[in-house]
């Protein structure tokens, strides 16, 4: 068993499925005590059963500041500090330029940009010296993707957050990095298309990846755990692509 994160206190937002859940499992496997958030109580309870006693769930919407206050209030009371923050909550759907609505834009930016900003800002009083903040980016922030411009722009904003916040946090001993997945087999990816088109989407994406497959959530979880660990102690303001080479060629 890898005990690289033994005794660490971690928060994973959007931790009930996909990359968030897989990362929570990996952090626990490496010795951390993990708090997860999710918007839906039923999914939160299901995730906690999968994670076991080292996990604590808090129902919260990362785009709602009052919910974030509740999350950090509970962590402050129960743990007193935070060593690892994985600001992962986010998502998006597809619309071509001519059909983008205010609701589409506001919903995606509320979670992916506004939510990430205040998730990190409100964590600052709890972050310990030497702590690690990891943001979820995406390969689409550096690649053009048809019908996905709002989501892509939100992830480009996340990438710049890490660059700028690394300067804002100088002297705090806090590292901030971005993990940018390529196509990963998650419920969110599958939900972009009707169920009968899902396998076709996976196959089309796999054909664009040099490794000729799409990734698994656990592969992103291991990358996040690395960035959270002391093995990454001199890695700051960077972007780690977990994409099978998709955005690199």
């Amino acid at each position: 068993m890898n005990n690289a994160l033994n005794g660490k206190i971690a928060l994973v937002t959007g931790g009930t499925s996909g990359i968030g859940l897989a990362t929570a499992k990996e952090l626990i496997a490496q010795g951390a005590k993990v708090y997860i958030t999710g918007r839906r109580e039923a999914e939160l309870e299901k995730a906690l059963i999968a994670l076991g006693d080292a996990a604590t769930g808090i129902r919260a919407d990362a785009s709602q500041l009052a919910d974030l206050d509740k999350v950090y209030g509970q962590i402050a009371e129960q743990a007193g500090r935070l060593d690892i923050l994985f600001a992962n909550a986010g998502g998006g759907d597809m619309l071509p330029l001519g059909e983008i609505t205010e609701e589409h834009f506001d919903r995606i930016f509320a979670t992916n940009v506004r939510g990430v900003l205040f998730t990190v800002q409100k964590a600052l009083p709890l972050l310990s010296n030497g702590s690690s903040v990891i943001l979820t980016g995406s390969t689409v922030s550096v690649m053009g993707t048809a019908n996905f411009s709002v989501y892509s722009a939100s992830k480009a904003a996340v990438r710049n957050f890490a660059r700028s916040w690394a300067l804002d946090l100088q002297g705090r001993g806090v590292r901030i990095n971005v993990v940018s997945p390529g196509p990963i087999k998650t419920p969110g990816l599958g939900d972009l298309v009707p169920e009968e088109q899902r396998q076709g989407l996976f196959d089309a994406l796999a054909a664009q990846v040099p490794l000729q497959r799409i990734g698994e959530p656990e592969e992103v979880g291991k990358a996040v755990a690395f960035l959270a660990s002391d093995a990454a102690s001199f890695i700051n303001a960077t972007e780690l692509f977990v994409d099978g080479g998709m955005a690199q060629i």
Side-chain angles (χ1 to χ4, degrees):
M1 183 176 178
N2 185 346
N3 292 317
L5 304 177
N6 197 39
K8 300 288 188 181
I9 306 297
L11 169 63
V12 177
T13 64
T16 59
S17 68
I19 289 169
L21 180 59
T23 299
K25 287 180 180 177
E26 182 64 27
L27 297 176
I28 289 169
Q30 295 196 26
K33 175 176 173 50
V34 177
Y35 290 85
I36 64 167
T37 68
R39 291 180 297 174
R40 290 174 284 274
E41 191 69 40
E43 290 187 12
L44 192 60
E45 291 177 4
K46 185 178 177 182
L48 291 173
I49 291 170
L51 293 172
D53 293 341
T56 300
I58 308 173
R59 199 210 64 75
D61 181 339
S63 68
Q64 300 299 314
L65 272 60
D67 283 7
L68 292 173
D69 288 336
K70 178 180 72 173
V71 169
Y72 290 123
Q74 183 171 333
I75 294 173
E77 181 180 339
Q78 295 178 350
R81 71 177 200 280
L82 193 60
D83 305 305
I84 300 163
L85 170 58
F86 182 32
N88 168 69
D93 48 333
M94 306 182 87
L95 281 176
L97 176 58
E99 297 177 18
I100 293 169
T101 63
E102 284 186 84
E103 185 278 332
H104 175 80
F105 178 91
D106 290 345
R107 172 169 42 82
I108 291 173
F109 265 69
T111 302
N112 294 4
V113 181
R114 183 176 183 269
V116 169
L117 165 60
F118 289 106
T119 293
V120 177
Q121 179 178 285
K122 288 178 176 293
L124 292 178
L126 284 172
L127 290 175
S128 59
N129 184 54
S131 59
S132 176
V133 176
I134 302 106
L135 314 178
T136 297
S138 173
T139 54
V140 300
S141 70
V142 296
M143 300 172 65
T145 308
N147 305 323
F148 220 25
S149 61
V150 174
Y151 177 83
S152 301
S154 75
K155 292 302 184 179
V158 167
R159 174 64 184 106
N160 196 272
F161 276 164
R163 289 190 172 104
S164 300
W165 292 345
L167 296 173
D168 291 345
L169 296 175
Q170 287 182 104
R172 280 284 309 260
V174 176
R175 295 182 296 107
I176 181 156
N177 292 292
V178 179
V179 62
S180 286
I184 306 295
K185 195 172 184 178
T186 64
L189 180 63
D191 288 346
L192 290 174
V193 296
E195 188 172 356
E196 64 273 12
Q197 297 177 24
R198 207 159 286 170
Q199 192 57 50
L201 172 66
F202 292 165
D203 292 344
L205 290 170
Q208 300 175 47
V209 177
L211 289 180
Q212 293 290 285
R213 65 177 178 86
I214 63 174
E216 297 293 335
E218 292 76 13
E219 294 176 297
V220 183
K222 290 181 185 299
V224 174
F226 163 69
L227 290 173
S229 74
D230 290 342
S233 58
F234 202 54
I235 298 176
N236 191 29
T238 198
E239 181 173 23
L240 176 58
F241 286 94
V242 186
D243 67 347
M246 183 178 185
Q248 316 310 316
I249 56 173

